[in-house]
C-alpha cells in the first residue's frame, strides 16, 4: 500500500496517511512533508484535532494513545 502511495497510484485519506506516519515513526517534519506531497492539508496547531496529533508526533506517542486522546476530546479518531 505504501509503495502505491509513493508511486502515486493510491491517494489515501488524510487520516489514513497520518496512521501510516505513526506506524513509520515519522517525525513531524516528515509527516508535514508527506501530507504536502499528497496534496493534503498539513497539521495546523490552532485546530484542536491537529494539535492533539501534533503533540503525539512530537512526544513519540503511539497511534493508540493519540486515538484515545482524540476520542476523549470528542474529536474524530484516526481510524
Amino acid at each position: 500500500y505504501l509503495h502505491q502511495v509513493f508511486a502515486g497510484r493510491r491517494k489515501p485519506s488524510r487520516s489514513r496517511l497520518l496512521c501510516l506516519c505513526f506506524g513509520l515513526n515519522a517525525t513531524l517534519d516528515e509527516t508535514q512533508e508527506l501530507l504536502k506531497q499528497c496534496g493534503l492539508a498539513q497539521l495546523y496547531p490552532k485546530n484542536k484535532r491537529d494539535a492533539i496529533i501534533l503533540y503525539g508526533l512530537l512526544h513519540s506517542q503511539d497511534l493508540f494513545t493519540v486515538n484515545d486522546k482524540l476520542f476523549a476530546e470528542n474529536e474524530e479518531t484516526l481510524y
Side-chain angles (χ1 to χ4, degrees):
Y1 183 83
L2 194 57
H3 175 68
Q4 291 174 340
V5 170
F6 289 137
R9 291 193 305 262
R10 284 201 177 235
K11 181 155 174 60
S13 67
R14 187 171 186 258
S15 290
R16 171 70 55 96
L17 191 61
L18 288 167
C19 286
L20 289 171
C21 289
F22 275 100
L24 294 168
N25 293 319
T27 65
L28 176 57
D29 289 340
E30 291 167 340
T31 300
Q32 295 287 54
E33 182 61 27
L34 192 54
L35 287 166
K36 182 176 154 186
Q37 292 296 321
C38 288
L40 299 167
Q42 293 182 327
L43 294 168
Y44 182 62
K46 290 190 178 186
N47 175 292
K48 184 177 180 180
R49 181 176 186 259
D50 284 0
I52 293 168
I53 296 167
L54 281 163
Y55 183 89
L57 286 167
L58 289 171
H59 292 89
S60 301
Q61 293 180 335
D62 63 30
L63 178 59
F64 303 110
T65 302
V66 173
N67 228 30
D68 286 346
K69 181 64 175 168
L70 288 168
F71 182 79
E73 294 293 327
N74 293 316
E75 294 293 327
E76 181 186 348
T77 58
L78 290 171
Y79 61 88

